[in-house]
Amino acid sequence: MTSAQRWTLTVVCAATAMLMLDIAVVNTALTAIAADLDTGLSGLQWVVDAYTLALAATVITAGSLADRFGRRRLFVIGLAVFTAMSLLCGLAQSITMLNVARAAQGVGAAIMFAVSLAVLSNAFPRPQERIKALAAYGATMPGAFAIGPLVGGALTSGLDWRWIFLINLPIGLVCLWIVRRHVAESLDPRAPRVDVAGLLTLTGALFLLVFALLRGSGPAVYAGALVLGAAFVAIEARVTQPMLPLRLVRNPSFTGAQVGAVGISGSLFALWLYLTLYLQQVLGLSAIEAGLVFVPGTLLNFAVAGATASLAQKVSARALVAGGLALIAAGLALLTVIGVDTSWWLFLPGLLVPMIGTGMLNPAVAQVALSSVPPEQSGLAAGVNDMFRQAALAIGVAGLGALISTAGPQAYVDGLHEALWVGAALAAACAVATGLLIQSPARPSRSVKLAADPAS
């Protein structure tokens, strides 16, 4: 590995860990945020969903812009926006101000997320090196998500909840320095223009769906989301340069990668918020104690993700993705044994099993997504994959949260059990689907020549 490759891998993993932490780190601080900014569960859900919804809605466009104007350039812009908005989050004086800043922070995160895989793909062109780099990258996402409650708990208990955002300032500035000094520029000279109509209809559809789930709105809002979603598909089928080329979806391996991303984000990651609240508000653990509960799973995830780099030479991506989702489903089912008066030790088996699954799944999903398209369109592929991840997370937080009551500890646990079973069913269904869709080994499809084919 060259010096430039080491710097690139380091900064991409550090930036990705930072933006993933900002999804998970808030969980253990939510109780303190609610007390300080005088808000309830609905406001707290938007602390998570404002960020993930903005990320999901803009990540494909960010990937296309990166392919067109330069991936390093967009990475710098994303880092700058994310770091500046982290400062505003830390200074927020109301839940509305916090959620608006979180949405803007999500836009910066979308740019970084969309560019990260493309930057790695450019820095590691050889397949063997790329697999190892993707294994490190794949371990970063769930690892940061898992360690987030511990970091959030430590900062909230030791300092103040505002420091979960302010800590991003020095990290962001260091990452900016590394990117400008050590990361090479790359772009696709045939990258498409921005699909404004597609962006607006997708953003509107996602917002209305999440809003309806969070607020328990009537059928009119759901109908609006459906209409805008249908309009988005119609637009993508007709425009010359769509933000989501439908030819990608016709590639079964690429579609399988998106199903895998939905399976983990819409189940395990979406439930992370409610599991953390269970540890604090039902079992009475402090913020730092709740964070420590997740440490064993974090360590296990890193170990498994590291081993996946070697396994990928012997085990198919299809087996890794489907097997990982099956373990996530099993772990969520195990978590249904938790109750109002049970020990937090009963929480561990249901945490450890799915963290093995995440360690298997994430590097494999990234590899399938990238290997299913031509290298020059890696930014677009990464953006689509991240859009599915974050859209599933936002919808999962809202949809599964609708099953959970805040009427009391027992009502909360009963609702959490229902949400866990729904999450397990989703992960199991996605395990079956990925097993059927992903080719083994994943091969680039000759039909996917998006930039060269104006009919796409």
Side-chain angles (χ1 to χ4, degrees):
M1 188 183 297
T2 66
S3 174
Q5 287 177 323
R6 283 194 293 271
W7 278 113
T8 301
L9 180 60
T10 298
V11 74
V12 167
C13 287
T16 302
M18 183 170 62
L19 66 90
M20 288 301 295
L21 275 171
D22 258 48
I23 301 174
V25 76
V26 298
N27 291 343
T28 45
L30 288 176
T31 300
I33 292 173
D36 195 20
L37 300 184
D38 190 26
T39 187
L41 181 62
S42 178
L44 295 179
Q45 287 172 320
W46 275 112
V47 174
V48 177
D49 269 351
Y51 179 85
T52 56
L53 184 59
L55 201 163
T58 57
V59 70
I60 298 182
T61 298
S64 297
L65 289 173
D67 285 343
R68 188 176 186 185
F69 297 109
R71 289 144 189 167
R72 187 186 74 163
R73 177 182 297 174
L74 266 290
F75 200 70
V76 168
I77 293 172
L79 266 170
V81 171
F82 183 91
T83 304
M85 291 304 103
S86 294
L87 176 61
L88 286 184
C89 287
L91 299 176
Q93 298 300 308
S94 68
I95 192 65
T96 300
M97 180 179 176
L98 175 60
N99 288 336
V100 170
R102 285 283 284 170
Q105 190 187 38
V107 174
I111 300 172
M112 289 194 291
F113 227 152
V115 178
S116 57
L117 279 177
V119 169
L120 279 184
S121 180
N122 181 68
F124 295 88
R126 295 170 58 187
Q128 297 250 353
E129 291 181 334
R130 184 183 294 177
I131 289 174
K132 294 179 180 179
L134 289 176
Y137 177 82
T140 298
M141 290 188 290
F145 209 89
I147 203 172
L150 175 60
V151 175
L155 291 172
T156 301
S157 298
L159 296 169
D160 184 82
W161 67 264
R162 298 179 185 277
W163 281 96
I164 66 175
F165 301 112
L166 297 177
I167 194 67
N168 292 332
L169 299 182
I171 299 173
L173 291 174
V174 170
C175 286
L176 280 168
W177 179 84
I178 294 174
V179 172
R180 294 186 62 86
R181 189 174 181 87
H182 296 286
V183 175
E185 183 62 282
S186 64
L187 52 80
D188 177 5
R190 300 176 301 175
R193 292 174 295 181
V194 176
D195 176 11
V196 177
L199 174 64
L200 293 177
T201 51
L202 175 64
T203 303
L206 288 173
F207 177 81
L208 288 180
L209 179 57
V210 171
F211 182 84
L213 290 169
L214 286 177
R215 300 291 182 178
S217 303
V221 182
Y222 287 102
L226 182 61
V227 168
L228 285 176
F232 171 72
V233 174
I235 289 168
E236 300 310 282
R238 295 189 178 191
V239 297
T240 303
Q241 295 178 322
M243 64 183 292
L244 177 56
L246 298 184
R247 286 183 180 271
L248 280 178
V249 182
R250 298 188 193 118
N251 183 322
S253 287
F254 187 84
T255 300
Q258 313 323 311
V259 173
V262 168
I264 186 172
S265 293
S267 61
L268 178 64
F269 288 170
L271 284 163
W272 220 260
L273 162 65
Y274 305 109
L275 291 171
T276 308
L277 289 175
Y278 163 78
L279 290 174
Q280 290 188 67
Q281 298 187 2
V282 176
L283 296 189
L285 301 185
S286 67
I288 187 67
E289 289 171 337
L292 287 170
V293 172
F294 292 95
V295 170
T298 301
L299 298 176
L300 184 59
N301 168 73
F302 275 118
V304 173
T308 299
S310 300
L311 281 174
Q313 306 296 322
K314 304 173 183 178
V315 181
S316 69
R318 176 172 60 190
L320 290 171
V321 174
L325 285 167
L327 288 174
I328 290 169
L332 293 177
L334 284 174
L335 279 169
T336 59
V337 303
I338 60 178
V340 174
D341 299 317
T342 54
S343 168
W344 65 267
W345 283 97
L346 285 176
F347 193 86
L348 284 181
L351 174 66
L352 296 178
V353 171
M355 292 311 290
I356 296 173
T358 60
M360 294 167 52
L361 182 146
N362 271 311
V365 163
Q367 173 65 10
V368 171
L370 286 178
S371 65
S372 300
V373 300
E376 64 270 15
Q377 292 169 341
S378 56
L380 174 63
V384 172
N385 190 243
D386 292 332
M387 185 274 287
F388 275 93
R389 284 180 183 273
Q390 302 309 318
L393 179 59
I395 294 169
V397 167
L400 296 177
L403 301 173
I404 299 174
S405 171
T406 57
Q410 189 59 57
Y412 186 93
V413 170
D414 291 342
L416 181 58
H417 285 170
E418 290 185 34
L420 286 166
W421 282 119
V422 172
L426 173 63
C430 289
V432 174
T434 53
L436 295 173
L437 287 168
I438 297 176
Q439 299 173 9
S440 185
R443 297 184 297 273
S445 172
R446 292 185 179 180
S447 65
V448 185
K449 297 180 180 179
L450 308 176
D453 185 357
S456 64

